[in-house]
Amino acid sequence: MRGNLFAVAVDLVVLTVRQGVFSTLLVRRGIPPFEGELALPGGFVLPHEDLLDAATRELSEETGLSLRGHHLEQLASYAAPDRDPRGRVLSVGHLALVPDLPEPQAGSDAAGSAWHPIAELPALAFDHTRILADGVERARAKLEYTTLAATFCPQTFTVSQLREVYEAVWGTTLDPRNFQRKVTSTPGFLLPTARTTSSGRGRPAQLFRRGNATSLHPPMLRD
Amino acid sequence: MRGNLFAVAVDLVVLTVRQGVFSTLLVRRGIPPFEGELALPGGFVLPHEDLLDAATRELSEETGLSLRGHHLEQLASYAAPDRDPRGRVLSVGHLALVPDLPEPQAGSDAAGSAWHPIAELPALAFDHTRILADGVERARAKLEYTTLAATFCPQTFTVSQLREVYEAVWGTTLDPRNFQRKVTSTPGFLLPTARTTSSGRGRPAQLFRRGNATSLHPPMLRD
DNA sequence: ACCTATTCGGGTCGGAGTGACGATAATGCG
DNA sequence: CGCATTATCGTCACTCCGACCCGAATAGGT
């Protein structure tokens, strides 16, 4: 085997919708390079570790958040020769879609971590701005033809909450009646439960659970 | 930087349609491990090389084929700890879609290379069967909502040739009249030229060139 | 108790897109 | 010349979507 060796890292684009705002999780770097700057959570893969395991572990170490039961997929790999001043580092970007989680805790290599709205993003370390943009675009596209929007919702949720997820992620507004017809007529998207949304004004809404369906045919149209 | 170093390789899923048969390019390995077995073309990334450059170079070295002007995109990374008996190797899979190219030539590290129909695939070295399956599925999905089917065609082609691409890749049959209506009514998919398909039986067909459109809204439906 | 704002959710209507399929045009072949 | 073959246009019914109306069910104010 030739001797051209790389360090391999994983970086995570963790997306959520909190209080109607499409947001991502960023850490403030506690060590060089880019010390003190914002970056995606992530770190180096261990010698006998798989990529998804490394992503889960690094997120837990840096923010205290667990991805158990949540959506996690590989995004793409980034390996420009000069993307890391320390040397040749290939980073495998990952995308996680989670419901509104608790506030993150500071951990190893990170001076702190917090949720940031996608709409008002600061500059990030390394090429993380590009990785984040790719993750956001992947998430926006996947809402069109999959049922992944429900992964942004709590375990039971209303049609309106699901609609607000689409509106937050896409930055659009959707007609509530047409949206309701679309999602309730898709078999396996929503499982009905007892209606108990006494909170808020207006007529109480029925609560649903995620169904088994994963794809959406025909797709939901973005505007 | 921690000392957990990987060798990084690129592997290529090169897909084409030749004589109506959906096919891929495989090499017979000339060196261990898996010497003598079939594998995807690919090899290690050089110290200052980008991933797409490495993919283009490796394909040229192993088969003599050039990807200039053809579609090439990153597919996914594969990094299971035991995927290569030589040690820790991360491979970045790539997907290339090309028209009917000349027969490949044998090159470095390869005892020979040839086109193989997707429908009757032998077992491949490493985890290349999985990488190939991911590439094939990506290609099939992309024909639905992009105009990439035209990248399988020569520079000028008829609507029937384009339809045969869809039929070969999807393994289905499509109604010629509805297909014609769909592709000719999509702005920017096909650019008309002079009609000259005197070859073959039946009424001569108009020749088209690829247009500037990249996405297909609404998508082409697979069956 | 009543009205009103608000939200949920069922329904209608027209247009775009598609599948199924008929009809016509333009060639090669016997 | 007849006929098979292929390309291309056209028709019709159906589905799905966007725009919109209206009733149903609650909270809050008076």
Side-chain angles (χ1 to χ4, degrees):
Chain A
M1 182 162 50
R2 305 188 203 171
N4 311 320
L5 296 181
F6 289 59
V8 172
V10 289
D11 286 308
L12 286 103
V13 178
V14 185
L15 301 177
T16 191
V17 176
R18 2 188 315 118
Q19 285 102 30
V21 180
F22 189 32
S23 303
T24 191
L25 188 62
L26 299 178
V27 303
R28 196 163 293 279
R29 288 181 60 81
I31 57 172
F34 296 100
E35 183 173 2
E37 294 190 34
L38 287 171
L40 298 178
F44 291 105
V45 180
L46 298 179
H48 302 295
E49 198 176 31
D50 219 331
L51 295 175
L52 293 177
D53 294 337
T56 305
R57 174 183 57 74
E58 283 289 346
L59 184 69
S60 172
E61 286 181 9
E62 291 195 335
T63 69
L65 299 179
S66 167
L67 286 176
R68 283 183 63 82
H70 297 132
H71 179 81
L72 176 64
E73 66 177 276
Q74 190 185 119
L75 187 56
S77 290
Y78 302 83
D82 57 352
R83 64 176 295 279
D84 191 312
R86 293 168 293 186
R88 199 74 209 261
V89 179
L90 179 147
S91 176
V92 186
H94 287 74
L95 176 64
L97 308 182
V98 302
D100 194 353
L101 294 178
E103 288 296 329
Q105 309 295 321
S108 65
D109 299 354
S113 54
W115 297 103
H116 292 253
I118 295 290
E120 26 188 285
L121 282 178
L124 302 184
F126 304 103
D127 52 0
H128 288 188
T129 298
R130 169 64 185 279
I131 302 176
L132 176 55
D134 289 350
V136 167
E137 183 45 40
R138 171 86 64 98
R140 285 178 171 148
K142 280 213 161 190
L143 290 209
E144 291 187 4
Y145 59 93
T146 71
T147 62
L148 279 176
T151 65
F152 285 119
C153 294
Q155 209 159 24
T156 67
F157 55 92
T158 67
V159 173
S160 287
Q161 284 179 284
L162 185 64
R163 177 171 47 83
E164 284 159 10
V165 165
Y166 276 93
E167 292 178 338
V169 173
W170 284 349
T172 60
T173 60
L174 299 172
D175 184 285
R177 297 152 295 196
N178 293 335
F179 183 83
Q180 177 127 0
R181 177 180 57 190
K182 175 70 176 174
V183 296
T184 57
S185 69
T186 300
F189 197 170
L190 301 178
L191 297 180
T193 51
R195 58 147 59 179
T196 43
T197 33
S198 48
S199 67
R201 293 186 299 255
R203 173 175 170 176
Q206 192 173 2
L207 284 170
F208 294 89
R209 212 180 297 276
R210 287 193 278 276
N212 300 325
T214 57
S215 65
L216 222 47
H217 282 298
M220 182 88 59
L221 295 182
R222 192 193 322 198
D223 187 19
Chain B
M1 182 161 53
R2 305 189 202 171
N4 310 318
L5 297 180
F6 289 59
V8 172
V10 290
D11 286 309
L12 286 102
V13 179
V14 185
L15 301 178
T16 192
V17 175
R18 3 188 314 119
Q19 284 100 32
V21 180
F22 188 32
S23 303
T24 190
L25 188 62
L26 299 177
V27 304
R28 195 163 296 277
R29 289 182 60 79
I31 57 171
F34 297 99
E35 183 173 1
E37 295 191 32
L38 287 171
L40 299 177
F44 292 105
V45 180
L46 298 179
H48 302 293
E49 196 176 33
D50 219 330
L51 294 175
L52 293 177
D53 294 336
T56 304
R57 175 184 55 77
E58 283 289 346
L59 184 70
S60 172
E61 285 181 10
E62 291 195 336
T63 70
L65 298 179
S66 167
L67 287 176
R68 282 183 64 84
H70 298 130
H71 180 80
L72 175 63
E73 66 176 277
Q74 190 186 117
L75 188 56
S77 291
Y78 303 83
D82 58 351
R83 65 176 294 278
D84 192 313
R86 292 167 292 186
R88 199 73 209 261
V89 179
L90 179 146
S91 175
V92 185
H94 288 74
L95 177 64
L97 308 182
V98 302
D100 194 353
L101 295 178
E103 288 297 329
Q105 306 297 321
S108 65
D109 300 355
S113 54
W115 297 103
H116 292 253
I118 295 291
E120 28 187 284
L121 282 177
L124 302 184
F126 305 102
D127 52 0
H128 287 189
T129 298
R130 169 66 184 278
I131 301 177
L132 177 55
D134 289 349
V136 167
E137 183 46 40
R138 170 86 64 97
R140 285 179 171 148
K142 280 213 160 189
L143 289 209
E144 292 188 1
Y145 58 93
T146 71
T147 61
L148 280 176
T151 65
F152 287 118
C153 293
Q155 211 158 21
T156 66
F157 54 92
T158 68
V159 173
S160 288
Q161 285 179 282
L162 185 63
R163 177 170 47 82
E164 285 158 10
V165 165
Y166 276 92
E167 292 178 338
V169 173
W170 285 347
T172 61
T173 60
L174 299 172
D175 185 284
R177 296 156 291 189
N178 293 334
F179 182 85
Q180 177 128 1
R181 177 181 58 191
K182 174 72 176 173
V183 297
T184 56
S185 70
T186 298
F189 196 170
L190 301 180
L191 296 180
T193 52
R195 58 149 60 179
T196 43
T197 35
S198 50
S199 65
R201 294 186 298 255
R203 173 175 170 176
Q206 192 173 3
L207 283 170
F208 294 90
R209 212 180 299 276
R210 287 193 278 275
N212 299 325
T214 58
S215 65
L216 221 47
H217 282 298
M220 181 89 59
L221 295 181
R222 193 193 322 198
D223 187 20

